[in-house]
Amino acid sequence: MGNPVSVLDELLREIPALRPQMYFKTSLTALSHAMEDQVLAGRDRPLMIASFQQERFYRQEAHRYVRLSELSPDIYVFSAAGTQFDAQANRYETIAFDPDDALVNEWHLVVLGAHYSACLVCREHQPAPGPGARLPGTPVLDQTRRFEGVWTLDSQVSQRAASILLDRVVAYRPSLAEQVERARQQYIPEPVSSPIAIGESDPFAQRLVTYVQASQYKLLKAYKAIAIQSEREQLINSITAAIRQSLNPSEIFAIATRELAQVLSASRCLIYRYSEDAAAAPIQREYRQPGIVALMDSDWSLLDHPLFEWVRRHRQTLMSNRPVSDLDPADIHAHLSQWEVSDYLLVPLIYQERLLGAIELHQCKDIDATSDRKAWSDTDVDLVESIATQLSVALIQAEAYGRLAVLNQQLADLERTRSNLIAITGHELRTPLSTIRVCLESLNTEPDMPLELQQVMLSSALSDADRMQNLVQDFLTLSRLESGRIEWNLESLSLEECVALALSSVRSTESRPLPTIKTDLADSLPFIRADGEWIVEVLSKVIDNACKFTDADGEVVLQAQPHTKALIKVSISDTGRGIEPDRLEAVFDRFYQEEGALRRSVGGTGLGLAICRQIIEAHQGQIWATSAGKNQGTQIHFTLPVARPARPARSRRPRRKKVSV
């Protein structure tokens, strides 16, 4: 079992005066080579103990230690277990250590000679976990690795370090105990009991190390800058790719929030839309670090959001480390403290001066009004503004696509309407015109036609003329309703009188036998507020429609009762053919006919219920159909508003709407 205690910790415990420093891996390589070159160039036969942490590092140094072994018999190299450098005695001794030994993360080289001593004891520095521990995007390169340790030319420090490492040599290879003891007696004469005074290192070597460290630091900064730029370009490319692949803003926002929060190490990233008539904005996408309060699926109030209000007025980016004069610090603190936000960055989503929404980035820590920490750099702001530009374009594209989809649907509806209109006019107009023409030609060419037959011809012509008039009138009525060119004369009306007028109209216009029509009106039914002529029109069309699809021995029932305090519900039920459940909504479409326009057994244009829907919705009511299925009867329901006050002193009697074509 390996020794989990670091050699550096043991050395610092024995010599408290030592102060470890930070070294880059390149610096350690340079120092190691300098120490080895000093041995190769000198006349000493020193004790050398090395540990190069990983096999691939040792492989690079192996040829140097073959040369060093020609100068000294006391060379010990620690090597990782399971490699070709397992414990063996060749020209120099290799000592395999266990994977759980602290040597796995350490780099050591100790030289003890008569004229030259040096000590390099380091362990790899592991950054503390948490935000900012490592700059996002930093490449995992040897040049960027850092080690904490001690480098000195002091002989006493070198002796203490050598003693600690020799103990581990014996622990892993007991067979070397006698050889190690001879080395101790030769190179470490006797232990020093008094505190060690650290001597000055060679000034030239110190300058060299400082130069190497400074050069490596500059190189590391360059690596970091390149990595940051690369990652930010990847972020923009990923969002651009998402925009190209999807026109769904929610999917694009999901990628943007995640990438922005990770690249900028933000505690929370929000993206929300803005509408001028909305007091709050739904949080459409949020990315947050663990332990941060979630705001997703909540309404982000804009009325009491002083930061967004400033952005809305100025159409500019706002951040915590760039305070502005026209914002009250007390209002800002009150807004941010409820979410424990210490630093913020707001970037508006703008397209051609139109505010579409905003990106919010938060750093959530203890609120400290005296802190002047710079949370967002100019590079960060430029990045977020670039993303905001991309998202603004994506939103406009999504809106344009949505409008295009609506227009395509409207075009499809118009095409379907055109087809239905052609079919209906071809059937509804051509058939009565043919009948009228035949009747008139017969009357014109047959002056001796019996009077009874002449009467039949005239009746047929008049009947088909009425049919054509109704068709044209329904076209005109629906056109006026859909275009909003109707002036509504709303007043308090008695629903009972409207029902009576509608029944009278149906009975007077129908020539065929009607089914039994019953009325069931609730007692003390309140007055309705409506245009009487149009309500009679709705009742007439619905009752007439029910009678057409119900046999003479069937029944039609009209019921009315209070629905809510503000609405009355009217229902017309029949025992006729019924409607399939999947077609209950389609019966209110223009030109819809249950049997089809060209093969139906009853008259009509398929516009009646479409007209009724327009009238009822214009009165702030609703109309719908229910049916248990084919041959199970149909129920048409609609609601009308109650008049206030409930019963006025006098009301005008509604008249049947008369329209001339």
Side-chain angles (χ1 to χ4, degrees), residues 531-574:
D531 188 315
E533 296 181 0
W534 289 104
I535 297 304
V536 171
E537 181 80 1
V538 171
L539 291 168
S540 299
K541 287 187 177 297
V542 176
I543 295 173
D544 180 67
N545 199 64
C547 292
K548 285 179 181 178
F549 292 96
T550 304
D551 296 334
D553 57 351
E555 183 178 78
V556 175
V557 179
L558 188 150
Q559 296 176 306
Q561 57 186 357
H563 186 56
T564 64
K565 291 183 178 180
L567 295 173
I568 289 178
K569 177 182 176 183
V570 180
S571 301
I572 293 94
S573 306
D574 63 61

Side-chain angles (χ1 to χ4, degrees), residues 7-82:
V7 174
L8 178 63
D9 288 339
E10 289 191 45
L11 184 61
L12 294 176
R13 187 165 51 249
E14 291 190 16
I15 310 176
L18 288 175
R19 293 293 179 264
Q21 296 181 354
M22 200 67 67
Y23 297 93
F24 291 105
K25 191 261 181 182
T26 304
S27 303
L28 296 185
T29 303
L31 286 172
S32 298
H33 285 173
M35 294 166 65
E36 294 161 358
D37 290 342
Q38 184 72 19
V39 174
L40 291 172
R43 294 173 296 170
D44 275 350
R45 296 168 58 85
L47 167 67
M48 295 185 67
I49 309 172
S51 174
F52 293 105
Q53 188 186 33
Q54 296 180 15
E55 176 189 356
R56 61 192 181 93
F57 297 148
Y58 173 63
R59 190 190 302 275
Q60 299 170 4
E61 302 293 328
H63 69 284
R64 297 175 65 86
Y65 279 83
V66 171
R67 294 174 55 197
L68 290 168
S69 65
E70 296 174 355
L71 301 176
S72 174
D74 295 309
I75 297 179
Y76 304 90
V77 177
F78 285 94
S79 60

Side-chain angles (χ1 to χ4, degrees), residues 300-429:
W300 193 240
S301 177
L302 302 181
L303 294 179
D304 55 356
H305 192 335
L307 304 178
F308 180 82
E309 179 60 24
W310 187 94
V311 170
R312 186 191 66 79
R313 292 198 311 269
H314 297 276
R315 299 292 202 273
Q316 295 178 5
T317 298
L318 180 64
M319 69 188 78
S320 53
N321 51 310
R322 288 185 188 172
V324 292
S325 58
D326 54 344
L327 271 177
D328 187 354
D331 292 342
I332 297 176
H333 182 80
H335 176 75
L336 298 180
S337 60
Q338 59 182 327
W339 308 114
E340 298 183 351
V341 177
S342 59
D343 296 289
Y344 58 86
L345 173 62
L346 266 75
V347 178
L349 303 178
I350 299 177
Y351 184 82
Q352 295 183 350
E353 300 302 323
R354 177 188 169 193
L355 182 60
L356 305 175
I359 301 174
E360 278 201 40
L361 289 163
H362 297 162
Q363 293 290 4
C364 297
K365 295 182 179 179
D366 293 337
I367 301 293
D368 184 3
T370 63
S371 175
D372 57 355
R373 181 176 63 89
K374 187 175 181 180
W376 317 105
S377 65
D378 293 339
T379 305
D380 297 335
V381 176
D382 292 341
L383 173 65
V384 181
E385 289 179 343
S386 299
I387 300 303
T389 301
Q390 297 282 346
L391 295 180
S392 300
V393 173
L395 290 176
I396 294 300
Q397 289 179 347
E399 288 184 2
Y401 180 78
R403 288 195 295 269
L404 180 61
V406 172
L407 290 175
N408 287 336
Q409 183 61 42
Q410 291 176 350
L411 288 174
D413 293 341
L414 288 174
E415 178 62 23
R416 185 168 57 253
T417 299
R418 185 186 68 83
S419 300
N420 290 336
L421 180 60
I422 292 173
I424 289 173
T425 53
H427 183 76
E428 294 290 344
L429 295 180

Side-chain angles (χ1 to χ4, degrees), residues 218-237:
K218 292 178 181 179
L219 183 62
L220 180 60
K221 287 185 64 178
Y223 283 144
K224 289 182 178 180
I226 294 172
I228 291 172
Q229 184 65 24
S230 175
E231 185 160 354
R232 295 187 175 189
E233 288 181 359
Q234 291 177 4
L235 168 60
I236 296 177
N237 291 337

Side-chain angles (χ1 to χ4, degrees), residues 10-297:
E10 289 191 45
L11 184 61
L12 294 176
R13 187 165 51 249
E14 291 190 16
I15 310 176
L18 288 175
R19 293 293 179 264
Q21 296 181 354
M22 200 67 67
Y23 297 93
F24 291 105
K25 191 261 181 182
T26 304
S27 303
L28 296 185
T29 303
L31 286 172
S32 298
H33 285 173
M35 294 166 65
E36 294 161 358
D37 290 342
Q38 184 72 19
V39 174
L40 291 172
R43 294 173 296 170
D44 275 350
R45 296 168 58 85
L47 167 67
M48 295 185 67
I49 309 172
S51 174
F52 293 105
Q53 188 186 33
Q54 296 180 15
E55 176 189 356
R56 61 192 181 93
F57 297 148
Y58 173 63
R59 190 190 302 275
Q60 299 170 4
E61 302 293 328
H63 69 284
R64 297 175 65 86
Y65 279 83
V66 171
R67 294 174 55 197
L68 290 168
S69 65
E70 296 174 355
L71 301 176
S72 174
D74 295 309
I75 297 179
Y76 304 90
V77 177
F78 285 94
S79 60
T83 70
Q84 60 176 315
F85 303 110
D86 282 349
Q88 57 183 333
N90 196 356
R91 294 187 177 184
Y92 53 89
E93 300 292 341
T94 58
I95 298 90
F97 55 83
D98 292 339
D100 56 351
D101 196 294
L103 292 172
V104 171
N105 297 315
E106 296 184 341
W107 180 303
H108 309 309
L109 179 58
V110 177
V111 179
L112 280 177
H115 302 92
Y116 174 74
S117 298
C119 171
L120 177 62
V121 176
C122 294
R123 65 182 169 199
E124 188 164 5
H125 176 68
Q126 302 294 338
R134 183 176 66 87
L135 193 61
T138 301
V140 183
L141 300 174
D142 288 340
Q143 292 84 349
T144 65
R145 298 171 61 191
R146 292 183 292 175
F147 291 76
E148 179 186 20
V150 175
W151 173 76
T152 180
L153 302 178
D154 188 275
S155 60
Q156 293 184 337
V157 175
S158 301
Q159 291 175 11
R160 289 288 182 91
S163 178
I164 295 172
L165 289 170
L166 288 174
D167 289 341
R168 299 209 179 192
V169 171
V170 174
Y172 279 111
R173 291 188 61 186
S175 60
L176 298 177
E178 293 183 5
Q179 181 178 336
V180 168
E181 184 59 29
R182 287 196 301 270
R184 286 182 187 274
Q185 294 176 2
Q186 180 179 353
Y187 299 104
I188 311 174
E190 58 184 27
V192 181
S193 58
S194 59
I196 298 176
I198 306 301
E200 295 293 333
S201 299
D202 182 8
F204 176 77
Q206 288 287 8
R207 292 192 189 100
L208 176 63
V209 172
T210 302
Y211 175 78
V212 173
Q213 289 281 83
S215 300
Q216 188 65 21
Y217 179 73
K218 292 178 181 179
L219 183 62
L220 180 60
K221 287 185 64 178
Y223 283 144
K224 289 182 178 180
I226 294 172
I228 291 172
Q229 184 65 24
S230 175
E231 185 160 354
R232 295 187 175 189
E233 288 181 359
Q234 291 177 4
L235 168 60
I236 296 177
N237 291 337
S238 65
I239 295 176
T240 304
I243 293 173
R244 291 174 179 173
Q245 296 173 3
S246 173
L247 287 173
N248 184 354
S250 181
E251 296 178 1
I252 299 172
F253 288 173
I255 296 175
T257 53
R258 181 182 68 251
E259 298 292 340
L260 277 174
Q262 292 179 348
V263 169
L264 300 182
S265 300
S267 301
R268 181 192 292 119
C269 180
L270 307 173
I271 299 181
Y272 50 86
R273 300 287 301 273
Y274 167 72
S275 177
E276 292 184 357
D277 56 351
I283 302 299
Q284 295 185 319
R285 280 296 168 183
E286 174 190 26
Y287 186 87
R288 56 191 174 86
Q289 301 294 344
I292 303 300
V293 178
L295 300 177
M296 187 66 181
D297 298 327

Side-chain angles (χ1 to χ4, degrees), residues 463-611:
S463 176
D464 283 345
D466 289 339
R467 181 177 172 184
M468 290 180 60
Q469 181 183 15
N470 291 335
L471 174 62
V472 175
Q473 180 58 48
D474 282 348
F475 283 155
L476 295 176
T477 300
L478 185 59
S479 175
R480 291 177 61 201
L481 288 167
E482 291 183 342
S483 64
R485 291 184 286 117
I486 301 295
E487 293 185 4
W488 304 98
N489 298 316
L490 301 179
E491 54 188 345
S492 296
L493 298 172
S494 168
L495 184 60
E496 294 91 335
E497 294 181 0
C498 294
V499 171
L501 286 174
L503 291 175
S504 175
S505 174
V506 171
R507 291 189 176 106
S508 63
T509 56
E510 285 290 344
S511 58
R512 69 184 185 90
L514 296 175
T516 303
I517 301 177
K518 297 181 180 180
T519 60
D520 180 14
L521 306 181
D523 296 336
S524 301
L525 200 63
F527 278 23
I528 59 173
R529 181 165 180 77
D531 188 315
E533 296 181 0
W534 289 104
I535 297 304
V536 171
E537 181 80 1
V538 171
L539 291 168
S540 299
K541 287 187 177 297
V542 176
I543 295 173
D544 180 67
N545 199 64
C547 292
K548 285 179 181 178
F549 292 96
T550 304
D551 296 334
D553 57 351
E555 183 178 78
V556 175
V557 179
L558 188 150
Q559 296 176 306
Q561 57 186 357
H563 186 56
T564 64
K565 291 183 178 180
L567 295 173
I568 289 178
K569 177 182 176 183
V570 180
S571 301
I572 293 94
S573 306
D574 63 61
T575 59
R577 302 177 185 178
I579 305 173
E580 294 295 338
D582 59 341
R583 298 186 179 182
L584 290 174
E585 183 64 23
V587 297
F588 295 98
D589 293 342
R590 291 173 293 178
F591 306 117
Y592 177 84
Q593 293 170 334
E594 181 67 14
E595 296 177 309
L598 303 180
R599 56 183 180 85
R600 66 188 185 282
S601 58
V602 296
T605 64
L607 297 175
L609 290 180
I611 293 173

